Amino acid sequence: MCGIIGYSGREQAAPILLDGLERMEYRGYDSAGVAIRSETKGLQVKKSKGRLKVLSDMIHGGADLEGTLGIGHTRWATHGEPSDVNAHPHVSESGNIALVHNGIIENYMEIKEHLIKLGVKFTSDTDSEVVAQLLEFHYRECHNMLEAVGRVLRRIEGSYAFGIICSDYPDALIAARKDSPLILGYGKGCNFIASDVTAVIKYTREVAYMDDGEIAMVTPEGIDVFDSELVPVEKAHRTVDWDVSAAEKGGYPHFMLKEIMEQPDAIRRTVSPRIREGRVVLDDVKLTPEYVKNISRIFVIACGSSYHVGMVSKYNWEKLLRRPVEVVLASEFRYCDPLVDEHSLVVVISQSGETLDTMAAMREAKRRGGRTLAIVNVVGSSIAREADDVLYTWAGPEIAVATTKAYSTQLVLMDLVGLYLGDLLGTVSAEGYAAIVEGIQRLPEQMSASLKDTEDIKYFASRYFNHDSIFFIGRNLDYAMGMEGSLKLKEISYIHSEAYASGELKHGTISLIEPGTLVVALGSYMPLFDKAMSNVVEVKARGAEVMALTAASRREKMAKTADSVIAVPDTLAMLQPSLGVVPLQLFAYYVALQRGCDIDKPRNLAKSVTVE
Ligand code: M6R
């Protein structure tokens, strides 16, 4: 959720913080703020409700705030409505300590009541201000910020990444983390903290990932890291292998469109190193053939679009592995007493690798003896580090809140893993294996071909953007793909939309179809094409307007019934969602564009959901 950044160096801090916040604004965008320390003015805090631009204009791009040490924040509200006072940084009563926070302090009420009894006055409704006040309380006792932070961390419960500055410390900022991401950036004569590498990549590619319970003291000369007992810790440095251009729009009007267009390359990056001489090679996983043979059940745990990848994979993996695959929403998993044991393989899918529900579900699965395999995009993220095995999707930084290239790379990576496991289990024939490998290798080129001409989709978007409710229907893989198409549309265009298994319509939902209702009929899963056609006829008979999606070989047949048809290249049935999802992403994009929506930052959402 929120994005935090901190800078300690020799340049003016405010413009650097604003630049970093702009790159992280996708993490939350209902208010923003910075705190800067200067020799002459002490701590200066500026914050405002609304987008970062409001703050930036207010402080003239940072020019108004002098000082070379500072922290910044862009917020996605949890405790307290989006407002000027609830915006971060929060300042202790004396004005000596400023703090930015990402996460939730669960026992904040009890601490707040205690501090109120001691006479502390609060100005906001947030849990974060409670930490700033508690910190001051302890600092007054021990006169040492590191020690005071250590005491606070022992008292609070919940999740956090903190950036803290204190007027008594002219060039040091303090950071701490638990269950919320925080990286350390090592520059030349300056050092950083940030929620995400994208915020600091312009200044340095050398980073380290903070671990739970660690505290860092950041100065222009270096970064000292300590464990929760304040014992020094050595951190391994990593070099980020992409540069700033990967996190910029590169001439596209929106990140989402850029990321849609990047999909063929992203898939190539995911696949190429993992296929050698026609065989799937997963060097990074340590699953032994003995372990795989004893798998009795597979769980896929994820949220949102990653969950939809799981839905597609369920159909494919059950065919490839002949093992039961259960796809569970991460937010439900923990609370359903899941039947996980040591023969359960638990696949955890997450673009960000920080989704709290997914992480909590993964921990629960491990606790019950399951073996976890994470499919993650963000290198060094919490889920990647905690899973027994991790496979990266290598999609590159994804900035738009609506995921596209991360979804596509997750999907294809799941196909590779399914094939790999099926081979170990002996449940995939030699010809089947070779055909799937060949099909996967052709996907980037087929996807590029369909991305070359988007005119039809733009036209359909201009024809249908005024609908206020849209149904996506399909069977089997088309149904799973429809879930993603529907989520994309509602997420960025705010049109109400539902994905339905076509066969289920007649059990109730068909009553919602009336003359003019737009139905997106998915008929790209060839084994059930005729049934898909029958469902088109069924909704047409009730007056629906039908936009259908099918494979090129069936375009003409589909056009006899549907009002408009989008065709994608033919591939193997199990790979068709990889091609079919692209026009659905583009349809959502162009509909949202027609409706004047804020495509990259849809209302109420954030890219990385680090609260439960
Ligand atoms: O980072 P994750 O893959 O764990 O995120 C899960 C969902 O929050 C995410 O897929 C969300 O549904 C997207 N905004 C959809 O476009």
Side-chain angles (χ1 to χ4, degrees):
M1 316 265 33
C2 313
I4 74 173
I5 183 167
Y7 170 84
S8 174
R10 302 197 174 96
E11 308 288 320
Q12 289 302 306
I16 294 173
L17 296 179
L18 289 176
D19 179 65
L21 289 177
E22 191 180 339
R23 292 172 195 282
M24 283 192 300
E25 211 184 358
Y26 63 86
R27 297 183 67 89
Y29 31 86
D30 59 46
S31 55
V34 291
I36 306 288
R37 185 195 179 281
S38 90
E39 258 339 292
T40 48
K41 296 183 183 147
L43 285 194
Q44 310 157 76
V45 176
K46 294 285 175 196
K47 51 189 190 172
S48 167
K49 179 182 167 183
R51 294 287 164 95
L52 182 66
K53 172 110 185 30
V54 179
L55 171 74
S56 183
D57 288 349
M58 186 166 99
I59 58 175
H60 300 101
D64 291 2
L65 298 177
E66 183 207 313
T68 57
L69 173 73
I71 49 177
H73 189 270
T74 175
R75 180 171 187 245
W76 186 88
T78 56
H79 293 60
E81 55 164 16
S83 69
D84 290 354
V85 282
N86 288 336
H88 296 219
H90 288 286
V91 181
S92 62
E93 211 175 359
S94 68
N96 279 340
I97 295 172
L99 165 146
V100 287
H101 170 215
N102 172 24
I104 290 184
I105 305 303
E106 284 160 8
N107 59 341
Y108 81 104
M109 262 327 257
E110 156 206 331
I111 300 173
K112 187 171 183 174
E113 278 161 17
H114 175 69
L115 291 172
I116 288 172
K117 278 192 197 131
L118 296 176
V120 176
K121 297 214 167 32
F122 285 83
T123 54
S124 79
D125 309 318
T126 66
D127 50 338
S128 313
E129 187 193 356
V130 174
V131 182
Q133 306 288 18
L134 183 64
L135 194 51
E136 176 155 280
F137 175 81
H138 287 294
Y139 182 60
R140 278 198 192 130
E141 283 177 348
C142 66
H143 307 290
N144 177 315
M145 271 309 271
L146 266 185
E147 174 59 32
V149 170
R151 290 184 190 186
V152 166
L153 300 190
R154 285 192 280 281
R155 178 86 192 273
I156 59 177
E157 287 161 20
S159 59
Y160 49 79
F162 291 127
I164 300 160
I165 56 175
C166 170
S167 51
D168 298 342
Y169 287 69
D171 62 1
L173 74 89
I174 293 185
R177 86 151 250 173
K178 179 176 163 274
D179 292 343
S180 287
L182 201 57
I183 62 118
L184 304 170
Y186 300 85
K188 290 199 172 58
C190 62
N191 291 299
F192 298 84
I193 60 160
S195 300
D196 193 331
V197 172
T198 48
V200 301
I201 189 82
K202 191 167 154 191
Y203 307 95
T204 179
R205 286 160 81 173
E206 196 185 336
V207 301
Y209 302 99
M210 284 188 76
D211 286 305
D212 279 353
E214 287 180 345
I215 305 173
M217 168 87 89
V218 181
T219 64
E221 285 74 42
I223 305 181
D224 296 317
V225 182
F226 306 89
D227 69 12
S228 55
E229 303 302 320
L230 301 183
V231 176
V233 173
E234 278 301 315
K235 296 298 290 179
H237 291 205
R238 290 173 185 240
T239 306
V240 177
D241 62 2
W242 45 270
D243 64 20
V244 70
S245 64
E248 289 178 342
K249 283 190 199 145
Y252 285 94
H254 297 98
F255 279 109
M256 183 177 176
L257 187 59
K258 175 182 178 240
E259 288 159 7
I260 290 173
M261 295 299 173
E262 284 174 345
Q263 289 180 108
D265 280 343
I267 289 181
R268 241 177 238 119
R269 276 199 302 276
T270 311
V271 169
S272 301
R274 293 178 169 125
I275 297 183
R276 287 184 221 140
E277 293 168 5
R279 310 297 302 168
V280 178
V281 183
L282 301 179
D283 287 332
D284 311 335
V285 301
K286 304 175 288 290
L287 296 173
T288 61
E290 290 64 44
Y291 171 80
V292 172
K293 290 207 168 83
N294 285 314
I295 294 174
S296 59
R297 193 179 191 137
I298 295 164
F299 289 87
V300 181
I301 309 176
C303 303
S305 296
S306 299
Y307 170 80
H308 297 155
V309 170
M311 291 301 293
V312 172
S313 303
K314 174 185 167 68
Y315 289 108
N316 286 338
W317 280 31
E318 286 189 339
K319 278 212 179 87
L320 292 172
L321 313 184
R322 306 312 297 154
R323 293 282 190 284
V325 178
E326 202 175 320
V327 191
V328 193
L329 288 166
S331 51
E332 291 293 316
F333 182 83
R334 260 202 298 177
Y335 308 111
C336 67
D337 201 2
L339 298 169
V340 175
D341 62 21
E342 69 274 23
H343 299 301
S344 309
L345 175 64
V346 181
V347 181
V348 177
I349 308 178
S350 175
Q351 185 284 132
S352 61
E354 300 292 348
T355 302
L356 191 72
D357 285 323
T358 310
M359 192 152 72
M362 182 176 83
R363 287 178 180 161
E364 179 62 21
K366 283 181 99 169
R367 201 182 65 74
R368 289 172 183 252
R371 180 168 179 118
T372 53
L373 164 63
I375 305 285
V376 173
N377 192 38
V378 178
V379 176
S381 53
S382 306
I383 290 174
R385 283 183 294 155
E386 282 190 32
D388 296 315
D389 289 289
V390 57
L391 286 168
Y392 287 110
T393 44
W394 304 126
E398 191 180 65
I399 310 292
V401 165
T403 179
T404 52
K405 62 176 179 172
Y407 171 91
S408 291
T409 52
Q410 288 167 346
L411 205 54
V412 79
L413 188 48
M414 286 295 279
D415 291 337
L416 289 178
V417 180
L419 205 49
Y420 177 83
L421 296 175
D423 188 39
L424 287 179
L425 288 169
T427 44
V428 187
S429 70
E431 307 91 75
Y433 187 98
I436 298 168
V437 166
E438 204 237 335
I440 291 175
Q441 286 177 313
R442 284 185 62 212
L443 284 176
E445 158 211 332
Q446 291 184 302
M447 203 181 266
S448 292
S450 44
L451 281 168
K452 278 208 178 88
D453 183 7
T454 58
E455 286 312 308
D456 273 4
I457 299 170
K458 279 187 202 153
Y459 168 69
F460 296 142
S462 67
R463 188 161 149 192
Y464 297 130
F465 78 94
N466 262 332
H467 283 255
D468 54 12
S469 180
I470 299 180
F471 287 88
F472 286 71
I473 61 168
R475 288 170 185 264
N476 198 280
L477 289 175
D478 279 329
Y479 168 47
M481 179 175 77
M483 290 178 167
E484 179 60 8
S486 168
L487 177 63
K488 279 296 80 92
L489 184 78
K490 64 189 136 201
E491 186 176 22
I492 60 169
S493 74
Y494 316 144
I495 296 178
H496 169 256
S497 147
E498 306 252 3
Y500 249 81
S502 312
E504 192 60 18
L505 268 187
K506 58 187 172 295
H507 297 289
T509 316
I510 203 162
S511 63
L512 293 171
I513 307 288
E514 50 184 14
T517 304
L518 180 61
V519 174
V520 179
L522 305 170
S524 73
Y525 182 63
M526 286 307 113
L528 295 176
F529 179 79
D530 290 339
K531 292 213 186 296
M533 286 288 288
S534 311
N535 293 122
V536 172
V537 174
E538 223 167 68
V539 291
K540 284 289 301 168
R542 272 95 186 157
E545 170 93 12
V546 175
M547 180 176 90
L549 182 139
T550 188
S553 59
R554 304 293 168 100
R555 178 201 277 269
E556 277 176 31
K557 202 164 177 198
M558 185 58 99
K560 290 190 179 128
T561 319
D563 298 288
S564 43
V565 181
I566 298 169
V568 292
D570 283 74
T571 180
L572 297 179
M574 72 169 267
L575 303 178
Q576 206 71 61
S578 285
L579 298 175
V581 76
V582 175
L584 301 184
Q585 297 166 342
L586 284 166
F587 181 67
Y589 174 80
Y590 287 115
V591 166
L593 195 65
Q594 291 278 347
R595 292 166 69 93
C597 298
D598 190 345
I599 293 180
D600 284 338
K601 299 188 192 95
R603 71 181 174 214
N604 303 338
L605 291 172
K607 181 81 181 158
S608 166
V609 186
T610 54
V611 294
E612 210 179 336

